[in-house]
Amino acid sequence: MGGPLRFDGKVVLVTGAGQGLGRQYALQFAERGAAVVVNDLGGSFKGEGQSTRAADTVVEEIRAKGGKAVANYDSVEFGEKLVETAIKEFGRIDIVINNAGILRDKSFARISDLDWDLIHKVHLRGSFSVSRAAWPHMRKNNFGRIIMTTSVAGIFGNFGQANYSAAKMGLVGLSNTLSLEGKKYNITCNAIAPTAGSRLTETVMPPELVAALKPEYVAPLVLYLCHEGTQDTGGLFEVGAGWIAKLRWQRTIGAVCRTSTVPMTPESVRDQWDKITDFSEAIHPVSAAETTHHLIGVLGELDGGTGGGTGGGKQASSKPSQSGGGVDDGINIEAAMAAKIKPTQYVYTPKEAILYALSVGYTTKDADYLKFLYEGAEDFSVVPSFAILASQNSSVGLFSGGIPGINIDITKILHGEQYMELYKPFAPSGTLTSQARIADIVDKGVGALIVIDVETFDEHKEKVAFNQSAIMVVGAGGFKGAKSSEVLKPMMKPPARAPDASIAEKTSVDQAALYRLTGDRNPLHIDPSFAAMGGFKQPILHGMCSFGFATRHVLKTYANNDVSKIKAIKVRFSKPVLPGETIHTDMWKEGKRIYFQCKVAETGVVVLTGAYVDLYEEAGTGEITTKSSNSSMALKSEAIFNAIVEQFKTRKGVAKKINSVFGFEITQDGKTVAEWTADMKTGEGSIYQGGPKSGKADCTIVISDDNFVDLVSGKLNGQQAFMTGKMKLKGNIMLAQKLGELFKDQSKL
C-alpha cells in the first residue's frame, strides 16, 4: 500500500487554524514535514473581536515539536495578505485549506442584511479570496491542492441556517469549477462536509456528541486529498467519527411534457409527475455538458431526429427545407447552401487503415485480428467506418470561415447525428476524393442544425462512400428558419423486445489519445482545460470512435467480419463516453437491418440511439470472376504471362530450383479478374492460366494488373509492394523470395 504520506518541502496555509479542525490540520501537516501558515483572526464564533493568541498558541505547539510554522492574523477576505505571508516566510505556497468560518444562526424571518453578508464574507468570499491569491503560484509550480469546507447544512439545508447553508453550498460550486480549471496545472480541489466537535457545532449538537466527534477523525481525509500522489478532484465528501463517504448527484430519467404538435401545459406536467420523480432508473450526471447533450436529444426525439428527420421509417427525400436567407450569429443560410466547396483528397496506405482499426478497438486479442491489423494477411480489410476519415477531411474549415455563410464559434458545435453509406469495400491503399456541400440548415431554437453531405470517390472516379453529418451549433438558432429537414436521414427505434445479441467492450484510458491521431485533433478529447471549457470533468471520447466500436460489434455479430456486407450505418450521439468506460452494444435483427443501441456499462447512460446498420443481401460471397483471354477487357499481365511461357520452354532446371507452386490472382478495381499458376513441382514445370490443378498453391500472389507489370519489369520493388499493400501474399510468404528466379529474364519480355 506504500509508505507514510509525507509533505516535506510543501507549504500549507490553513485558515481558521487557531482551534478545532483548523488546529488539527495544522498540527498533522507539520508533523509530516510541511511548513505551515497558521491563520486565525482570533475573533468569536460570531465573527466579533480579534486576538493573536489563538494562532500563536498553535505555532508554538508546532515549533515545540521541531516543526516549521508562522502565524497570520488577517481576515480571510484579504486573501492576498495570507498568501504573502507564505511567500515571504517560505518562498512558495502549495496547499490551501479553507477552514475559517463563523455562525450567525437565525430563522429566515429574522435574518438581517448584516447576518447574511458576514456569513458570505467569511465563508464564500473568504475562500474565494485566499484561493485566488494562491492560484497563480500554484499554476507556476504546476502543483496545488485546495480544500473547501462545506457543510451538511449546505447540502441538505438546516433550520435557522439559511445564510450559512447558502454560503456553504456556494463553496461546492466553486470547488467543482476550480477542479475543472486546475486540471491542466495539476491543481486539485475538493470539498468536505465535516462533522466534528468545534465551537461552531457546539451550538447545534449535544455536549456528549461534540466530545465524541473529534477533529482527529476528520483531518486524515484532508491530508490524503492534499498529497501529491492523490489525483482525485471535484469530489464532495462527508466525514466524521472516522467515517468517510463520497456524494454524487442523481437524476431521474425524467419525462418530456410536450410533443411536436401538442404544447407543454401545467396539466401535462401533472400527468407526467410520477415519471418525472421516479428514481428507480436514475442516472448520475457529472457535468453541465450532459444536460446540454440531453436537451439536444430531447429535441431529436420530438422531431424524429436531431434535425427533425422524417422518421417513421420513411426514406428522406433530397429536398432541403426552405430555411430562408436570414443572417444570424455567423450563419448566412443562402450563402452557405450555395457555396461551392473545394474537393479534398485523402491519401492512405495500410498504415492509416491499421491505425484507424486500432483506434476503434481492434486488438491482437481478437481471434481474427490479422484481417484488420496486418497488411500481409491474405484477407486484409479496411474497417467500413474508415469512410469517415476522408469525409471529415473535406469538412475542415467549414466552421471557421472556410466557406461563405459559415463563421461561428467552434466551441459551440456538437456532433448530433451521422449517416454513412458504403458502395464497395475500400482498397488497402489509395487516394480518395471527397466533395462536401451544405445540404440544409434548420432552426432548432436552442441552436442551428447544419446538415453536411459528403460524397467520396476513388482513383477510378467510382463512388465508394456517402456521409451525412448533422452538426448542432448551440446558441445559433432563432433565425426563424424551418424547424425540420427533409434531407436528414431518419433515425429508427429498435424493436420492443429483448436484444437478440449484445457485446460489451471496455475502452482504453488512451482511446481518445489514439483516435485523434486518425485526423480529428479537437483538443476537447485530449486537453483537460479545453474539456473543462465545454463543461466536462475530463477529455471525452470522440463520438465517431464510439461509432467505430458499434460498427465493429455489428460487423462481428451479423456479418462475420465481412466488410463487403455493410451497406449503411446511422446513429445519433446522445451522450459522451469517457476513455476507460465500457461500451455495451445491444442489437436486434430485422431482415437486412440491424438495429442497435449503445450505453456505458458502468453508469447505464445511453450514448448512441436511433441507430441501425443495413446489410447487403448478396455481399461477401468471396467468389472470383475470371476474365478469359478473349475478354473485352485486355489485361497487360496476360501478355507478360504468355511471354514467360515461351521463355520458360528454353530454361532448363528452373523448376528444380524453385520446387514450389505459385498462384497469381490479378485484380482490377479490387476484384479478381484473372488467375495464373506457375507449377514448379511437376516435371520441368509449367505455367498456365487458371487455378492450381493440384488444388492449392504453396504461395499465392494477389496484385493488380498494373502493379504486376511494374513488378516484373523492375519498376516496383517486391518488398516495397508488399509493405505498402500493393501486393498481398497468401500461404508460405517466404517462398515469394523465389519469384526472382521465375522472372529472371523479365528485361527480355
Side-chain angles (χ1 to χ4, degrees), residues 189-466:
C189 188
N190 291 280
I192 65 165
T195 302
S198 70
R199 63 177 184 168
L200 299 189
T201 55
E202 285 173 357
T203 65
V204 293
M205 289 183 181
E208 61 274 14
L209 184 56
V210 172
L213 296 173
K214 296 181 179 180
E216 290 92 323
Y217 300 147
V218 172
L221 169 63
V222 171
L223 269 71
Y224 171 74
L225 290 174
C226 293
H227 193 263
E228 60 187 355
T230 303
Q231 296 299 315
D232 288 64
T233 190
L236 172 59
F237 302 88
E238 282 188 82
V239 55
W243 168 79
I244 302 171
K246 187 173 184 179
L247 286 78
R248 63 179 180 179
W249 300 110
Q250 190 177 41
R251 184 173 67 202
T252 67
I253 296 298
V256 179
C257 302
R258 69 180 180 94
T259 70
S260 57
T261 57
V262 179
M264 183 178 181
T265 64
E267 290 77 19
S268 66
V269 175
R270 175 198 62 199
D271 296 342
Q272 293 281 7
W273 194 250
D274 287 346
K275 188 174 181 181
I276 292 170
T277 58
D278 180 10
F279 280 90
S280 61
E281 296 183 18
I283 59 176
H284 302 279
V286 296
S287 72
E290 289 192 39
T291 297
T292 301
H293 278 278
H294 187 74
L295 292 176
I296 297 301
V298 168
L299 291 172
E301 294 293 340
L302 287 170
D303 294 331
T306 303
T310 56
K314 298 179 182 178
Q315 293 300 312
S317 75
S318 59
K319 180 183 177 184
S321 60
Q322 300 302 309
S323 302
V327 179
D328 190 85
D329 289 337
I331 298 178
N332 184 310
I333 299 171
E334 287 185 348
M337 294 185 64
K340 300 297 182 183
I341 303 172
K342 186 178 179 181
T344 60
Q345 284 194 335
Y346 178 72
V347 181
Y348 71 98
T349 68
K351 176 183 176 181
E352 284 72 33
I354 292 169
L355 176 61
Y356 176 79
L358 289 168
S359 75
V360 296
Y362 278 104
T363 168
T364 54
K365 295 178 182 178
D366 296 331
D368 52 355
Y369 71 90
L370 288 175
K371 182 172 185 174
F372 299 102
L373 299 182
Y374 176 44
E375 69 281 2
E378 60 183 68
D379 56 350
F380 178 68
S381 301
V382 179
V383 185
S385 49
F386 179 80
I388 192 61
L389 300 191
S391 174
Q392 72 185 19
N393 191 48
S394 70
S395 303
V396 172
L398 291 190
F399 297 103
S400 58
I403 64 170
I406 300 289
N407 187 14
I408 56 179
D409 183 354
I410 62 172
T411 65
K412 300 290 182 66
I413 65 174
L414 297 171
H415 194 169
E417 299 180 26
Q418 184 69 34
Y419 175 81
M420 180 182 292
E421 193 162 345
L422 302 149
Y423 302 103
K424 67 177 185 178
F426 290 98
S429 60
T431 300
L432 301 175
T433 301
S434 293
Q435 177 65 64
R437 72 183 185 91
I438 304 299
D440 209 352
I441 300 179
V442 183
D443 185 356
K444 303 303 294 181
V446 297
L449 185 89
I450 302 178
V451 181
I452 304 171
D453 286 352
V454 181
E455 293 182 315
T456 300
F457 303 85
D458 63 13
E459 298 101 320
H460 308 289
K461 298 184 178 180
E462 290 188 15
K463 189 190 293 188
V464 292
F466 167 79

